[in-house]
């Protein structure tokens, strides 16, 4: 009860600050939109897809997962600014729930990610993408869980390293291989065996497969529940770990 | 109101390959009574902030114990949080928020309902003369205005004790005087106020009782008057050339009317004597007789700096 109240309080505050400067939501969506408009048209011939819509069914889910991963991982920068301003310390002397300090922020990130996902989906609809609403909502759940996990981890790491200079290379180093090994831009079906072998160990690869299956109307595909399960477990672990950093962080 | 025994904290920091251990606080015992302004006086790096952060539940002590407003610091930090307010040295407001938003949020983080939080925010804005710019972003405030917002944030939940870490550092003289009035008002309202400072005049004028801290230890404790009384007599400070200072030091060390002699940096000497009026002519004759030059000589009643000097061998003004 207290947790829900405190989380709502922090979430409202963070969302309020975000909406005061909504330009960031659009800056975040700019790059994926460019990919959608300028890169995706190459895909129909490249993937040998029968129609443009088929090519989008493969590309858009990957793009959305990419957005969720990166959008989340870079949230830590904002937290370092808050840390420096003394806002976090000020929160930590109050009895407010430490888990709420994390969840309120991460849920704000989830909402902003979903807003971006809707913008991209709507644009893709203009390019003849078609997806059932039930499948789409389940895909959004997957995206929300990914964003929850990556933003929580980013906050936890930010509290540990406490400086932008350390956070930026760290996040880039993590994000690049994760990105390449998840078949986000092109399905790993095209990859040689050894690459597929490595990618099996990348949880995001399962999430991408699951999301693609959903966009394909294939809700019964095992990858859907497998991807959701893996990401749920990881999100819970990420939130748990990051909340502990909020409880113990020093300066 | 606050009772600590043997409070300790050390930090490990890495400089290149070596790890160094800094003993920031090494066994602090304090007794702060209800309704007083208690001051922690000490130079930068003395361990004041570290002690405060331990008392405010922000960092865990390595050892020792404390009871704060009746709650045990180690066993019941949650209860301690509810009963205290803490205003950090480095500021705590967010540039893009307004004072009113910050105050309402702070009250609500203490579990106060929304309507009541808004009432309290309005009252605090009034009390700290912030109403005029309450709805402007914090980044537009002056240093003094911002400091007032931060103090208001620290007491929005009406705590029994408020910790203020260097509340006047960086303020111009007028804002400082203003801040002193605010702090006295907190005491009038029945709060116990625990401030840290490295300003001698602030500790002297504002605090009911002080603890002088150096290198992680409390070296003296009492009311400013008591502490100064420990140094009986007068203090004579002579200014000399760097080269002359050594010679004059040797010259005056043996004089029977000099109770104690402390060299300062930059060629000054501070002499503790029973009676300044009779000591000064004798000091002058001695220096003159040795053919040495004097730059300045002054006489004053013992100050808190003299207390600090006798306890640590250094002047707080210079460190
Ligand atoms: N988080 C920290 N990590 C490492 N050393 C610290 C940390 N905080 C304080 N110190 C060190 O502890 C000592 C006391 O610092 P502090 O309590 O801030 O002193 P003061 O507030 O009296 O200026 C200093 O030497 C400081 O460098
Ligand atoms: Mg300090």
């Amino acid at each position: 009860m207290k947790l829900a109240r405190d989380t709502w309080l922090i979430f409202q505050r963070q969302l309020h600050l975000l909406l005061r400067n909504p330009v960031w939501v659009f800056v975040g969506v700019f790059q994926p939109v460019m990919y959608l408009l300028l890169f995706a048209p190459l895909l129909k011939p490249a993937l040998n897809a029968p129609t443009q819509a088929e090519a989008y069914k493969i590309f858009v889910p990957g793009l959305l997962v990419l957005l969720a991963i990166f959008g989340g991982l870079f949230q830590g920068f904002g937290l370092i600014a808050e840390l420096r301003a003394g806002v976090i310390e000020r929160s930590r002397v109050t009895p407010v729930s430490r888990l709420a300090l994390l969840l309120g922020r991460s849920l704000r990130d989830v909402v902003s990610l979903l807003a971006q996902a809707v913008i991209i989906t709507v644009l893709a609809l203009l390019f003849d993408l078609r997806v059932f609403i039930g499948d789409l909502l389940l895909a959004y759940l997957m995206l929300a869980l990914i964003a929850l996990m990556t933003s929580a981890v980013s906050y936890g790491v930010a509290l540990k390293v406490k400086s932008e200079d350390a956070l930026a290379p760290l996040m880039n180093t993590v994000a690049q291989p994760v990105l390449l090994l998840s078949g986000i831009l092109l399905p790993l079906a095209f990859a040689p065996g050894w690459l597929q072998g490595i990618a099996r160990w990348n949880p995001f690869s399962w999430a991408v497969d699951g999301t693609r299956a959903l966009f394909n109307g294939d809700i019964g595909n095992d990858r859907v529940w497998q991807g959701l399960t893996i990401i749920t477990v990881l999100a819970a672990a990420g939130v748990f770990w990051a909340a502990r950093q909020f409880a113990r962080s020093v300066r | 109101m606050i009772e600590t025994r043997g409070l300790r904290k050390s930090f490990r920091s890495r400089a290149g390959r070596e790890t160094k251990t800094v003993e920031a606080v090494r066994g602090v015992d304090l007794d702060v009574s209800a309704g007083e302004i208690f001051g922690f006086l000490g130079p930068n790096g003395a361990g004041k902030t570290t002690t405060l952060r331990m008392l405010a539940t922000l960092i865990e002590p390595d050892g020792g114990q404390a009871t704060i407003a009746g709650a045990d610091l180690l066993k019941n930090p949650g209860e301690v949080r509810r009963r205290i307010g803490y205003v950090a040295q480095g500021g705590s407001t967010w540039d893009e928020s307004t004072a009113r938003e910050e105050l309402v949020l702070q009250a609500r983080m203490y579990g106060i309902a929304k309507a009541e939080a808004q009432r309290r925010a309005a009252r605090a804005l009034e009390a700290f003369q912030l109403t005029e710019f309450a709805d402007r972003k914090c980044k537009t405030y002056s240093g003094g205005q911002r400091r007032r917002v931060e103090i208001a944030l620290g007491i929005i939940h009406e705590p029994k004790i408020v910790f203020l870490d260097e509340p006047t550092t960086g303020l111009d003289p007028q804002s400082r005087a203003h801040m002193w009035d605010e702090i006295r008002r907190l005491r009038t309202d029945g709060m116990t106020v625990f401030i840290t400072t490295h300003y001698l005049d602030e500790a002297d004028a504002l605090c009911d009782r002080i603890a002088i801290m150096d290198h992680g230890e409390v070296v003296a404790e009492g009311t400013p008057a008591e502490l100064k009384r420990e140094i009986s007599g007068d203090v004579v400070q002579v200014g000399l050339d760097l080269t002359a200072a050594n010679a004059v030091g040797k010259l005056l060390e043996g004089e029977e009317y000099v109770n104690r002699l402390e060299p300062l940096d930059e060629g000054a000497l501070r002499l503790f004597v029973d009676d300044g009026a009779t000591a000064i002519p004798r000091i002058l004759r001695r220096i003159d007789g040795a053919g040495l030059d004097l730059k300045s000589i002054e006489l004053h009643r013992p100050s808190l700096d003299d207390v600090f000097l006798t306890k640590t061998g250094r002047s707080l003004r210079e460190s």
Side-chain angles (χ1 to χ4, degrees), chain A residues 96-225:
Chain A
V96 74
S97 154
R98 316 287 122 146
L99 180 54
L101 290 177
L102 169 74
L103 275 182
R105 287 180 169 80
S106 281
L107 289 179
R108 188 271 321 260
D109 303 336
V110 167
V111 166
S112 117
L113 176 268
L114 288 177
Q116 295 176 331
V118 168
I119 293 174
I120 289 176
T121 313
V122 167
L123 278 174
L125 290 179
L126 301 178
F127 289 94
D128 293 336
L129 175 81
R130 290 296 174 264
V131 49
F132 285 113
I133 186 78
D135 295 342
L136 184 65
L137 290 179
L138 210 51
Y140 281 178
L141 174 64
M142 180 92 81
L143 296 174
L145 287 167
I146 294 173
L148 179 64
M149 167 179 56
T150 53
S151 95
V153 166
S154 181
Y155 287 138
V157 173
L159 287 173
K160 269 205 150 358
V161 303
K162 301 181 189 76
S163 104
E164 287 95 345
D165 298 342
L167 188 63
L170 201 63
M171 287 301 145
N172 272 320
T173 322
V174 173
Q176 288 305 339
V178 161
L179 171 64
L180 294 173
L181 285 173
S182 60
I184 279 176
L185 295 175
L186 295 173
L188 284 166
F190 296 108
W194 63 269
L195 196 55
Q196 288 186 10
I198 302 178
R200 287 175 62 87
W201 292 98
N202 180 356
F204 294 107
S205 156
W206 297 73
V208 173
D209 287 351
T211 316
R212 281 213 174 102
L214 285 167
F215 270 74
N216 208 20
D218 189 7
I219 196 169
N221 192 319
D222 283 347
R223 286 301 174 108
V224 174
W225 71 262

Side-chain angles (χ1 to χ4, degrees), chain B residues 22-56:
Chain B
V22 181
E23 288 185 62
V25 178
R26 10 180 146 197
V28 164
D29 301 344
L30 292 172
D31 291 280
V32 178
S33 321
E36 68 179 352
I37 300 180
F38 186 87
F40 230 11
L41 174 69
N44 275 326
K48 305 184 294 295
T49 297
T50 305
T51 308
L52 243 57
R53 282 164 52 82
M54 284 194 278
L55 296 179

Side-chain angles (χ1 to χ4, degrees), chain B residues 154-170:
Chain B
I155 60 161
I156 192 78
H157 57 300
E158 298 174 353
K160 294 201 167 69
I161 302 173
V162 62
F163 295 95
L164 308 175
D165 200 356
E166 308 225 357
T168 66
T169 298

Side-chain angles (χ1 to χ4, degrees), chain A residues 1 69 200:
Chain A
M1 194 51 225
I69 295 175
R200 287 175 62 87

Side-chain angles (χ1 to χ4, degrees), chain B residues 64-103:
Chain B
Q65 52 198 33
T67 314
I68 297 165
D72 188 285
L73 177 64
L74 301 177
K75 294 199 195 100
N76 203 351
E79 197 49 46
V80 172
R81 282 184 197 123
R82 266 182 281 278
R83 297 181 188 184
I84 64 158
Y86 171 76
V87 180
Q89 183 174 357
S92 60
T93 43
W94 186 240
D95 274 354
E96 300 296 324
S97 290
T98 70
R100 191 187 305 277
E101 286 167 355
E102 292 287 53
L103 286 162

